[in-house]
Amino acid sequence: DLQNEDFTTKFVIYHRRFSTNTNPKWPLAQPMRVVGHNGEINTLIGNVNWVKAREKSKTLPAEELGDLVSKENTDNIVMMCNTQDVPNLLEPLVDLNRSDSANLDAVFELMTKSRHRAPCALMSLVPAAYENEPALSDNPEIIDFYKFHGGLLEAWDGPALLVFSDGKSIGASLDRNGLRPARYSITKDGTVYMMSETGVVDLDEADIVSKGRLGPGMMINVDLATGEFKDNIAIKSEIASRHPYGEWIAKNRKDVTKMSFAEERIYDDATTTFAQGSFGWGLEDIGMQIQDMAGFARETTYSMGDDAPIAVLSERPHTPYNYFKQRFAQVTNPPIDPLREGVVMSVAMTLGKKESIYKVSEKGARLIHLESPVLNSNEMERIASFSSEENGGFQQGTISTRYALEDGPEGIKKAIEAICDKAAEDVRNGVEVLILSDKAADQSELDGSTYIPPLVAVGAVHHRLITEGLRMDTGIVVETGSAWSTHHFACLVGYGANAVHPYLALETVKQWHGARRTQSQMEAGKLAVTTVDQAQQNYRKAVENGLLKILSKMGISLMSSYQGAQIFEAMGLGEDVVDTSFKGTTSRIGGVGLEDIASETVMMRPETASEKTKLVNYGYYKPVPKQGEYHANSSDLAKLLHDAIGLDKKVSAATNRDSAENDGVKPKNFANYEIFKKSLAEAPLANIRDLLDFESDRESIAIEDVEPASEIMKRFCTGAMSLGALSREAHETLAIAVNRVGGKSNSGEGGEDVVRGLDLTDVDEKGRSPTFPHLAGLKNGDSANSYVHQVASGRFGVTPQFLTTAKQLEIKMAQGAKPGEGGQLPGPKVSEYIASLRASKPGVTLISPPPHHDIYSIEDLAQLIHDLHAVNEKAGVSVKLVSSIGIGTVACGVAKAQADVIQISGGDGGTGASPLSSIKHAGMPWEMGLSEAHSALLNNGLRDRVTLRVDGGIRTGRDLAIAAMMGAEEFGFGTIAMIAEGCVMARVCHLNTCPVGVTSQKEELRKKFPGTPEHVVNFFEFVAEEIRELMAHMGYSNFEDLIGRSDLLKEDEAQIAKIAKTKGVSLSGFFSSIPDSKGDRAFLRATPAEGGGLKGDVVHVNGFGSELDREMCNHPDVKAAIEKNEGDTAVSFNIKNTDRSTCAMLAGDIAREYGNAGLDGNLNINMFGSAGQSFGAFTLPGMKVRLTGEANDYVGKGMHGGEIVVLPEADAGFVAADSSIVGNACLYGATGGDFHANGRAGERFCVRNSGAYAVSEGTGDHCCEYMTGGVVVALGTVGRNVGAGMTGGIGYFYDEDGRFEERVNGEIVKCQRVITPAGELQLRNIVERHFEKTGSEKAESILDNWDEDLGKFWQVYPPSEASSAVVSETIVGDAVKVSAVAPSEELCYLPVGAGMNPDQTTLCAD
């Protein structure tokens, strides 16, 4: 049609997608009936659940159906074909077997058929983040629209660019976070071109009158009847003005804002302790969690991983919450940032009956609006006050979830049935606020009764009400003593609760506050002095922030979208429990039944209530000797391993190492390793693999016939532990050890010192090297260079040299200990040395953003893989994922995105610092993720394209063999490798107080580091020999013959019989899905197209997207310039938007030859056209890149030096300063260089910039986010949230509309006018250079009116820059840097108030 000249149309929507789905299907082709959707709906499960609840909720009899076609005479936007009101007409509207796009399209279409105009329907479904949005301050009607519809409908939340048309208009809208690119151009003839990337359609810039972009939550619309183009405010104001939403809300809505907390106690101490015990509280929950939450308003930070048994295997009682693992976003959709981008998030909830989403009426505003889902007793009383007719008439009913203790475990089923029947009856009778309460009036009631765990109760009631079509008619409040951790609240809301009243947690805060120890700590200054009310406020704040973090892991912004979404995987729950309370939740290995849960609940009860009663210390977090929970990594285990490998923790640089024979390394002892192995074999059950045994199909062979240990050890890797989390001694020792055995060491996300790039040649006879004077046991030929260099979201230390000295590059999508979150390095661990590697400020805590800045989706991951393959073609690219349901689909997408290695980490992986709830409750065991990923890749013909690596709690050869049989080819050692170099499991990594210097940056503690490379090598050799013995026993001579052979594994009946809690665990279903690869082993070799050799020897090569890069690198003038390394060279090229990562290959060539800053000549590269993503990535000093045209996202990604200039064509028909010229996340992770854009930039401009000097003529939201250095100048308006997480560097912002201050995130940074001569000098120099480089009319106008316009600039700075000359008038004579790329230091730095002499002027002009 489109090629037929006789075919005419007013609009076209064309959509081409990266196929993430492993099996593309025509019904999933885009665009759909009314929507084209590029993105992911992260809330899909919840959205579908709630639409199904509406399908069950019938309010109109069928005879009132009326005419479906003509309803022109009504003002209401109602068509009677809506499934909420009419039975069985269009059901099922949604289905989880269809794609997220298809489900969204179905609901969107129905809303448009119900007389919602298309923009109105989309504004309701995918709302903007309207709260505290300066851009909407003049349009209260738009805010009222969002408030009204937010009460009716759960947002379909997630990164999304949506293009839509109902035939009357066509439009596009972006999600609330702006996590998709969208650019548009309007030409002189009125045509509007909207593209996800600019340059898709060739347009003459002379014909373009306007260029723009969609920012977060923004919409554009074209009326197909009139041809009128409507921008974001115009279309939304038009839609929002159709009904008096503000009046309706004021008249009908009841608000429950945060109120003060009650100070009086509800129980005495003895009763409180008894209640705590019966609800599963342990001493740690008060001493760690409540102390931090009430005392510091934050979650507990902890370290190491989760080495305790999973709940179903534990011999200790667990609450049902512990059987659930939080799901999280990775690759196909991004997590978001609750810490720095909380402006787009909200925990607000509603109570009451929800009206139809397909019609708009005043009744829709009649709801109770809760500022927080965490309620106190005063707020509960306020909600109760709304039950009176004169105050809203919201009927309220309370159902007790307690039942008689004498009914026994079997009584729980009858009790659940009773509360579900009562709930349905109450709602039918008009109850709109349903309270499920386990609160006992006094000790006697506690003595005589037990309770249905609140998670089981709310899930059962929620699903019963859905089944009976009543769920939309009421809100559920859970009043419980069994909720104190953030994970508990997330579970309750995720399974249906609208709000939670944690009466016992608040009582515990009061008890804690009044305790003598707490008061003493306040008096001593160890705790801030608080009132009882303030302590409870702190607790609620900690819970709310924790909830936002949990939401953000899944990429969800609103608590209302998380409610009922069931975004968890169950681990160890039986079928009857899931069917009763958690329908639709995956539980892959079976587990406890309802009666088991009832028995476990009763196990927690204290025997009596008295003043002497104390809570049990279960030791779930910190090991408690003898009576506490088992922990696999204990100090006892460390001692056993140290004895085996010959390590004495008392021998170190601080003691007698220099005088000890062989640096104190004792001979390794195989008998002691056997004791170490036996201690693990006989330990309590902890992991899924403990329930497995081997079943060979061959006769045993002699061990001499088995592959040598040296070959097996080449498959060994160390975990990605950063330098910073570890000390230099620990990090370098591990790297040297694993390099010695031919394995793969990993840098982690902290960058790496260039001194580590060369092999050692200066080691003396005592094993000492002047290059590494702090290490012992060295040999000539050793290498401390990490084989794998990690690129994480923080981009710390990622320079061109770091990338080109790697043999493999790893993209950290997620971390086992805290998937969905960024890294964390406490300030005390950021020493001068660590700060120098990371281009940050000493002593300032470093928090990496979650991986969303350049990894919004699978397409963006493919782009980053392309970037890394471009800068270092010889290095394979690894992508690190964390085990979770659905990882198979993700792995297939990653393989299609050209990754060479996929790493599957278990959710129990270690960490230097992480929120405690993340360590315990996010991520699944690697056994689950590895087997799913291997199976999916094999089934989809992709297994031969990637190597599978696994890590997370692997300690022995047995673990490793099981992993191999499940599909792994390489194996990572983390915590156990640290133990092998001296770690004693003190679990104080986050405190910088490691007693043996493994995880401390303190000099005096680092001197106590006892390890040498030989110790670690000894451990690796033991593991390899253990595997060889196992192979000999099973009759296998080659290790690779074990890979993927799950048929060699069986359930260990004896081990399963040891499970104390239940007989319901079964692993049979777990194995049945793994394909049989016994006969076909082709997946172990590279694809025939790549030569079919060993996968480790093959690196995928970038395709056509790098053709221009290759042409540039092979240009004779460019090659000659690099070889000569002097003079100026100029070359020119045309560029199109399929040319990606342009300049990255050239930067890699230069870095390999000269390092980060060794190029002395100048390479002037002129480009013309529309550049693809990552234009100018990783440019170096000496590269001067000039683009005439426009560019997409990630311009200057990882820029280290040189110059990038982007400007429009000379005859462009648009005003450059008002038009978008570059995309989102430009200069992400830049460490140097000068950047000038003669036009506007998108979102997250200069995110994690640590050294670039950058100018644009306006930006979107989140400018200077996470910045640690450099200077940013914006010569036009900017979006909100400026300077969030900014800990270094300076920003200058030209405030044309006088509204800049409300757009700044003041949590860290401050802003002031440019008050110092040095600041003015710096700013003016940069603006002058911008004019010289781009001819910017905006810069020229500002310079022409400098005296006046200087007063319109704001200077933004963090505390670390407060004493610099450009900020403080009290600093005199300091140096002022005006460029990142001036010819020499002398010219870079000028004394305050000084001008340039004529020679300097000439040089700088050059």
Side-chain angles (χ1 to χ4, degrees), residues 117 140 204 288 307 342-343 396 469 536 655 675 885 890 934 994 1006 1013 1081 1088-1089 1283 1294 1298 1351 1353 1399:
R117 290 169 59 189
D204 186 340
M288 292 176 72
D307 58 349
V343 289
Q396 185 168 316
Q536 293 176 88
T655 57
I675 296 171
I885 185 76
V890 171
H934 171 70
C994 175
R1006 286 172 51 199
R1081 312 292 289 163
Y1294 185 61
F1353 276 96
D1399 289 340

PDB file of all heavy atoms in Angstrom, residues 117 140 204 288 307 342-343 396 469 536 655 675 885 890 934 994 1006 1013 1081 1088-1089 1283 1294 1298 1351 1353 1399:
ATOM      1  N   ARG A 117     -12.165   9.790  24.389  1.00  0.00           N
ATOM      2  CA  ARG A 117     -11.303  10.128  23.264  1.00  0.00           C
ATOM      3  C   ARG A 117      -9.949   9.460  23.496  1.00  0.00           C
ATOM      4  O   ARG A 117      -9.540   9.233  24.631  1.00  0.00           O
ATOM      5  CB  ARG A 117     -11.156  11.641  23.146  1.00  0.00           C
ATOM      6  CG  ARG A 117     -12.455  12.309  22.691  1.00  0.00           C
ATOM      7  CD  ARG A 117     -12.398  13.801  22.833  1.00  0.00           C
ATOM      8  NE  ARG A 117     -11.309  14.386  22.048  1.00  0.00           N
ATOM      9  CZ  ARG A 117     -10.934  15.660  22.140  1.00  0.00           C
ATOM     10  NH1 ARG A 117     -11.551  16.454  22.995  1.00  0.00           N
ATOM     11  NH2 ARG A 117      -9.955  16.122  21.409  1.00  0.00           N
ATOM     12  N   PRO A 140      -3.933  23.556  36.761  1.00  0.00           N
ATOM     13  CA  PRO A 140      -4.492  22.699  37.816  1.00  0.00           C
ATOM     14  C   PRO A 140      -5.516  21.707  37.291  1.00  0.00           C
ATOM     15  O   PRO A 140      -5.722  20.652  37.886  1.00  0.00           O
ATOM     16  CB  PRO A 140      -5.127  23.700  38.791  1.00  0.00           C
ATOM     17  CG  PRO A 140      -5.336  24.947  37.976  1.00  0.00           C
ATOM     18  CD  PRO A 140      -4.226  24.983  36.991  1.00  0.00           C
ATOM     19  N   ASP A 204      14.917  17.435   4.778  1.00  0.00           N
ATOM     20  CA  ASP A 204      15.806  18.566   4.523  1.00  0.00           C
ATOM     21  C   ASP A 204      15.653  19.553   5.674  1.00  0.00           C
ATOM     22  O   ASP A 204      14.542  20.038   5.936  1.00  0.00           O
ATOM     23  CB  ASP A 204      15.412  19.220   3.188  1.00  0.00           C
ATOM     24  CG  ASP A 204      16.399  20.315   2.779  1.00  0.00           C
ATOM     25  OD1 ASP A 204      17.138  20.823   3.655  1.00  0.00           O
ATOM     26  OD2 ASP A 204      16.413  20.675   1.585  1.00  0.00           O
ATOM     27  N   MET A 288      18.451  -5.008  65.085  1.00  0.00           N
ATOM     28  CA  MET A 288      18.977  -4.534  63.799  1.00  0.00           C
ATOM     29  C   MET A 288      17.942  -3.674  63.075  1.00  0.00           C
ATOM     30  O   MET A 288      18.163  -2.499  62.804  1.00  0.00           O
ATOM     31  CB  MET A 288      19.390  -5.722  62.920  1.00  0.00           C
ATOM     32  CG  MET A 288      20.606  -6.478  63.445  1.00  0.00           C
ATOM     33  SD  MET A 288      21.000  -7.943  62.469  1.00  0.00           S
ATOM     34  CE  MET A 288      21.642  -7.219  60.973  1.00  0.00           C
ATOM     35  N   ASP A 307      23.511 -16.770  53.211  1.00  0.00           N
ATOM     36  CA  ASP A 307      24.041 -18.136  53.263  1.00  0.00           C
ATOM     37  C   ASP A 307      23.258 -19.010  54.228  1.00  0.00           C
ATOM     38  O   ASP A 307      23.706 -20.089  54.613  1.00  0.00           O
ATOM     39  CB  ASP A 307      25.523 -18.129  53.637  1.00  0.00           C
ATOM     40  CG  ASP A 307      25.788 -17.440  54.972  1.00  0.00           C
ATOM     41  OD1 ASP A 307      24.865 -16.799  55.507  1.00  0.00           O
ATOM     42  OD2 ASP A 307      26.919 -17.539  55.477  1.00  0.00           O
ATOM     43  N   GLY A 342      12.859   9.824  42.816  1.00  0.00           N
ATOM     44  CA  GLY A 342      11.639   9.592  43.578  1.00  0.00           C
ATOM     45  C   GLY A 342      10.513  10.544  43.230  1.00  0.00           C
ATOM     46  O   GLY A 342       9.362  10.305  43.607  1.00  0.00           O
ATOM     47  N   VAL A 343      10.817  11.617  42.490  1.00  0.00           N
ATOM     48  CA  VAL A 343       9.772  12.577  42.114  1.00  0.00           C
ATOM     49  C   VAL A 343       8.695  11.932  41.261  1.00  0.00           C
ATOM     50  O   VAL A 343       7.577  12.450  41.172  1.00  0.00           O
ATOM     51  CB  VAL A 343      10.365  13.789  41.360  1.00  0.00           C
ATOM     52  CG1 VAL A 343      11.150  14.666  42.290  1.00  0.00           C
ATOM     53  CG2 VAL A 343      11.214  13.348  40.171  1.00  0.00           C
ATOM     54  N   GLN A 396     -17.730   0.404  57.383  1.00  0.00           N
ATOM     55  CA  GLN A 396     -16.501  -0.264  57.791  1.00  0.00           C
ATOM     56  C   GLN A 396     -16.830  -1.552  58.527  1.00  0.00           C
ATOM     57  O   GLN A 396     -17.769  -1.603  59.309  1.00  0.00           O
ATOM     58  CB  GLN A 396     -15.712   0.681  58.707  1.00  0.00           C
ATOM     59  CG  GLN A 396     -14.349   0.168  59.123  1.00  0.00           C
ATOM     60  CD  GLN A 396     -13.523   1.272  59.778  1.00  0.00           C
ATOM     61  OE1 GLN A 396     -13.482   2.396  59.308  1.00  0.00           O
ATOM     62  NE2 GLN A 396     -12.862   0.945  60.868  1.00  0.00           N
ATOM     63  N   GLY A 469     -16.934 -11.389  42.319  1.00  0.00           N
ATOM     64  CA  GLY A 469     -17.266 -10.118  41.676  1.00  0.00           C
ATOM     65  C   GLY A 469     -17.432  -8.958  42.629  1.00  0.00           C
ATOM     66  O   GLY A 469     -18.139  -7.990  42.329  1.00  0.00           O
ATOM     67  N   GLN A 536       8.469   6.825  65.710  1.00  0.00           N
ATOM     68  CA  GLN A 536       7.478   6.124  64.884  1.00  0.00           C
ATOM     69  C   GLN A 536       7.395   6.735  63.487  1.00  0.00           C
ATOM     70  O   GLN A 536       7.202   6.018  62.497  1.00  0.00           O
ATOM     71  CB  GLN A 536       6.107   6.145  65.567  1.00  0.00           C
ATOM     72  CG  GLN A 536       6.080   5.313  66.852  1.00  0.00           C
ATOM     73  CD  GLN A 536       4.750   5.418  67.572  1.00  0.00           C
ATOM     74  OE1 GLN A 536       3.828   4.660  67.290  1.00  0.00           O
ATOM     75  NE2 GLN A 536       4.639   6.361  68.497  1.00  0.00           N
ATOM     76  N   THR A 655      52.704  -8.396  61.226  1.00  0.00           N
ATOM     77  CA  THR A 655      53.353  -9.266  62.217  1.00  0.00           C
ATOM     78  C   THR A 655      54.699  -9.757  61.693  1.00  0.00           C
ATOM     79  O   THR A 655      55.619  -8.988  61.505  1.00  0.00           O
ATOM     80  CB  THR A 655      52.417 -10.440  62.579  1.00  0.00           C
ATOM     81  OG1 THR A 655      52.084 -11.151  61.373  1.00  0.00           O
ATOM     82  CG2 THR A 655      51.146  -9.947  63.245  1.00  0.00           C
ATOM     83  N   ILE A 675      38.083 -32.786  55.509  1.00  0.00           N
ATOM     84  CA  ILE A 675      37.291 -32.382  56.687  1.00  0.00           C
ATOM     85  C   ILE A 675      36.401 -31.188  56.330  1.00  0.00           C
ATOM     86  O   ILE A 675      35.220 -31.132  56.710  1.00  0.00           O
ATOM     87  CB  ILE A 675      38.236 -32.026  57.871  1.00  0.00           C
ATOM     88  CG1 ILE A 675      39.027 -33.267  58.299  1.00  0.00           C
ATOM     89  CG2 ILE A 675      37.450 -31.445  59.031  1.00  0.00           C
ATOM     90  CD1 ILE A 675      40.136 -32.963  59.310  1.00  0.00           C
ATOM     91  N   ILE A 885      12.312 -16.139  37.767  1.00  0.00           N
ATOM     92  CA  ILE A 885      11.393 -16.720  36.801  1.00  0.00           C
ATOM     93  C   ILE A 885      11.369 -15.822  35.555  1.00  0.00           C
ATOM     94  O   ILE A 885      11.366 -14.610  35.647  1.00  0.00           O
ATOM     95  CB  ILE A 885       9.970 -16.854  37.403  1.00  0.00           C
ATOM     96  CG1 ILE A 885       9.020 -17.578  36.447  1.00  0.00           C
ATOM     97  CG2 ILE A 885       9.397 -15.507  37.795  1.00  0.00           C
ATOM     98  CD1 ILE A 885       9.229 -19.040  36.400  1.00  0.00           C
ATOM     99  N   VAL A 890      14.732 -13.764  28.890  1.00  0.00           N
ATOM    100  CA  VAL A 890      15.748 -12.714  28.961  1.00  0.00           C
ATOM    101  C   VAL A 890      17.055 -13.208  28.336  1.00  0.00           C
ATOM    102  O   VAL A 890      17.687 -12.498  27.540  1.00  0.00           O
ATOM    103  CB  VAL A 890      15.978 -12.285  30.424  1.00  0.00           C
ATOM    104  CG1 VAL A 890      17.175 -11.359  30.532  1.00  0.00           C
ATOM    105  CG2 VAL A 890      14.736 -11.607  30.977  1.00  0.00           C
ATOM    106  N   HIS A 934      19.522 -22.249  30.354  1.00  0.00           N
ATOM    107  CA  HIS A 934      20.113 -23.278  29.484  1.00  0.00           C
ATOM    108  C   HIS A 934      19.025 -23.916  28.613  1.00  0.00           C
ATOM    109  O   HIS A 934      19.208 -24.091  27.393  1.00  0.00           O
ATOM    110  CB  HIS A 934      20.802 -24.336  30.349  1.00  0.00           C
ATOM    111  CG  HIS A 934      21.252 -25.547  29.606  1.00  0.00           C
ATOM    112  ND1 HIS A 934      22.301 -25.526  28.702  1.00  0.00           N
ATOM    113  CD2 HIS A 934      20.784 -26.832  29.619  1.00  0.00           C
ATOM    114  CE1 HIS A 934      22.463 -26.742  28.197  1.00  0.00           C
ATOM    115  NE2 HIS A 934      21.565 -27.548  28.740  1.00  0.00           N
ATOM    116  N   CYS A 994      36.998  -4.556  58.714  1.00  0.00           N
ATOM    117  CA  CYS A 994      37.387  -5.952  58.540  1.00  0.00           C
ATOM    118  C   CYS A 994      38.670  -6.242  59.324  1.00  0.00           C
ATOM    119  O   CYS A 994      39.704  -5.596  59.107  1.00  0.00           O
ATOM    120  CB  CYS A 994      37.609  -6.252  57.058  1.00  0.00           C
ATOM    121  SG  CYS A 994      38.233  -7.908  56.740  1.00  0.00           S
ATOM    122  N   ARG A1006      44.604  -3.040  56.653  1.00  0.00           N
ATOM    123  CA  ARG A1006      45.118  -3.679  55.430  1.00  0.00           C
ATOM    124  C   ARG A1006      46.453  -4.381  55.698  1.00  0.00           C
ATOM    125  O   ARG A1006      46.758  -5.400  55.067  1.00  0.00           O
ATOM    126  CB  ARG A1006      45.269  -2.631  54.321  1.00  0.00           C
ATOM    127  CG  ARG A1006      43.936  -2.182  53.720  1.00  0.00           C
ATOM    128  CD  ARG A1006      44.097  -1.002  52.775  1.00  0.00           C
ATOM    129  NE  ARG A1006      45.127  -1.265  51.780  1.00  0.00           N
ATOM    130  CZ  ARG A1006      45.731  -0.304  51.061  1.00  0.00           C
ATOM    131  NH1 ARG A1006      45.417   0.957  51.273  1.00  0.00           N
ATOM    132  NH2 ARG A1006      46.631  -0.630  50.176  1.00  0.00           N
ATOM    133  N   PRO A1013      48.722 -15.193  46.798  1.00  0.00           N
ATOM    134  CA  PRO A1013      48.134 -15.921  45.663  1.00  0.00           C
ATOM    135  C   PRO A1013      48.188 -17.436  45.848  1.00  0.00           C
ATOM    136  O   PRO A1013      47.278 -18.154  45.417  1.00  0.00           O
ATOM    137  CB  PRO A1013      48.989 -15.456  44.484  1.00  0.00           C
ATOM    138  CG  PRO A1013      49.475 -14.100  44.874  1.00  0.00           C
ATOM    139  CD  PRO A1013      49.693 -14.175  46.350  1.00  0.00           C
ATOM    140  N   ARG A1081      25.678 -32.713  21.174  1.00  0.00           N
ATOM    141  CA  ARG A1081      26.571 -31.861  21.967  1.00  0.00           C
ATOM    142  C   ARG A1081      27.081 -30.662  21.180  1.00  0.00           C
ATOM    143  O   ARG A1081      28.049 -30.015  21.567  1.00  0.00           O
ATOM    144  CB  ARG A1081      27.757 -32.688  22.461  1.00  0.00           C
ATOM    145  CG  ARG A1081      27.394 -34.020  23.099  1.00  0.00           C
ATOM    146  CD  ARG A1081      26.658 -33.830  24.409  1.00  0.00           C
ATOM    147  NE  ARG A1081      27.537 -33.328  25.449  1.00  0.00           N
ATOM    148  CZ  ARG A1081      27.123 -32.775  26.590  1.00  0.00           C
ATOM    149  NH1 ARG A1081      25.832 -32.620  26.815  1.00  0.00           N
ATOM    150  NH2 ARG A1081      27.982 -32.354  27.483  1.00  0.00           N
ATOM    151  N   PRO A1088      28.531 -22.729  13.313  1.00  0.00           N
ATOM    152  CA  PRO A1088      29.300 -22.988  12.085  1.00  0.00           C
ATOM    153  C   PRO A1088      29.685 -21.702  11.356  1.00  0.00           C
ATOM    154  O   PRO A1088      30.779 -21.616  10.789  1.00  0.00           O
ATOM    155  CB  PRO A1088      28.332 -23.839  11.253  1.00  0.00           C
ATOM    156  CG  PRO A1088      27.448 -24.508  12.267  1.00  0.00           C
ATOM    157  CD  PRO A1088      27.289 -23.517  13.374  1.00  0.00           C
ATOM    158  N   ALA A1089      28.802 -20.697  11.422  1.00  0.00           N
ATOM    159  CA  ALA A1089      29.099 -19.436  10.738  1.00  0.00           C
ATOM    160  C   ALA A1089      30.322 -18.746  11.330  1.00  0.00           C
ATOM    161  O   ALA A1089      30.988 -17.954  10.657  1.00  0.00           O
ATOM    162  CB  ALA A1089      27.886 -18.507  10.817  1.00  0.00           C
ATOM    163  N   GLY A1283      20.496  18.059  39.469  1.00  0.00           N
ATOM    164  CA  GLY A1283      21.502  17.846  40.508  1.00  0.00           C
ATOM    165  C   GLY A1283      21.195  16.737  41.487  1.00  0.00           C
ATOM    166  O   GLY A1283      21.828  16.659  42.544  1.00  0.00           O
ATOM    167  N   TYR A1294      21.070  28.977  32.793  1.00  0.00           N
ATOM    168  CA  TYR A1294      20.499  30.256  32.355  1.00  0.00           C
ATOM    169  C   TYR A1294      18.991  30.196  32.580  1.00  0.00           C
ATOM    170  O   TYR A1294      18.288  29.376  31.986  1.00  0.00           O
ATOM    171  CB  TYR A1294      20.826  30.475  30.881  1.00  0.00           C
ATOM    172  CG  TYR A1294      20.400  31.823  30.334  1.00  0.00           C
ATOM    173  CD1 TYR A1294      20.920  33.006  30.851  1.00  0.00           C
ATOM    174  CD2 TYR A1294      19.502  31.902  29.267  1.00  0.00           C
ATOM    175  CE1 TYR A1294      20.552  34.232  30.330  1.00  0.00           C
ATOM    176  CE2 TYR A1294      19.126  33.126  28.743  1.00  0.00           C
ATOM    177  CZ  TYR A1294      19.645  34.299  29.277  1.00  0.00           C
ATOM    178  OH  TYR A1294      19.275  35.513  28.756  1.00  0.00           O
ATOM    179  N   GLY A1298      12.587  32.367  35.011  1.00  0.00           N
ATOM    180  CA  GLY A1298      12.557  32.662  36.437  1.00  0.00           C
ATOM    181  C   GLY A1298      12.036  31.539  37.303  1.00  0.00           C
ATOM    182  O   GLY A1298      11.659  31.760  38.460  1.00  0.00           O
ATOM    183  N   GLY A1351      23.281  37.926  35.482  1.00  0.00           N
ATOM    184  CA  GLY A1351      22.377  37.866  36.628  1.00  0.00           C
ATOM    185  C   GLY A1351      21.262  36.857  36.480  1.00  0.00           C
ATOM    186  O   GLY A1351      20.547  36.569  37.440  1.00  0.00           O
ATOM    187  N   PHE A1353      21.901  33.733  35.457  1.00  0.00           N
ATOM    188  CA  PHE A1353      22.493  32.408  35.638  1.00  0.00           C
ATOM    189  C   PHE A1353      22.431  31.986  37.099  1.00  0.00           C
ATOM    190  O   PHE A1353      22.631  32.805  38.005  1.00  0.00           O
ATOM    191  CB  PHE A1353      23.962  32.407  35.190  1.00  0.00           C
ATOM    192  CG  PHE A1353      24.148  32.206  33.710  1.00  0.00           C
ATOM    193  CD1 PHE A1353      24.306  33.299  32.858  1.00  0.00           C
ATOM    194  CD2 PHE A1353      24.174  30.928  33.159  1.00  0.00           C
ATOM    195  CE1 PHE A1353      24.476  33.116  31.501  1.00  0.00           C
ATOM    196  CE2 PHE A1353      24.355  30.742  31.808  1.00  0.00           C
ATOM    197  CZ  PHE A1353      24.505  31.833  30.963  1.00  0.00           C
ATOM    198  N   ASP A1399      49.937  35.422  23.622  1.00  0.00           N
ATOM    199  CA  ASP A1399      50.354  34.085  23.183  1.00  0.00           C
ATOM    200  C   ASP A1399      49.340  33.024  23.609  1.00  0.00           C
ATOM    201  O   ASP A1399      49.006  32.124  22.842  1.00  0.00           O
ATOM    202  CB  ASP A1399      51.731  33.744  23.782  1.00  0.00           C
ATOM    203  CG  ASP A1399      52.835  34.574  23.131  1.00  0.00           C
ATOM    204  OD1 ASP A1399      52.588  35.082  22.016  1.00  0.00           O
ATOM    205  OD2 ASP A1399      53.908  34.686  23.747  1.00  0.00           O
TER     206      ASP A1399
END
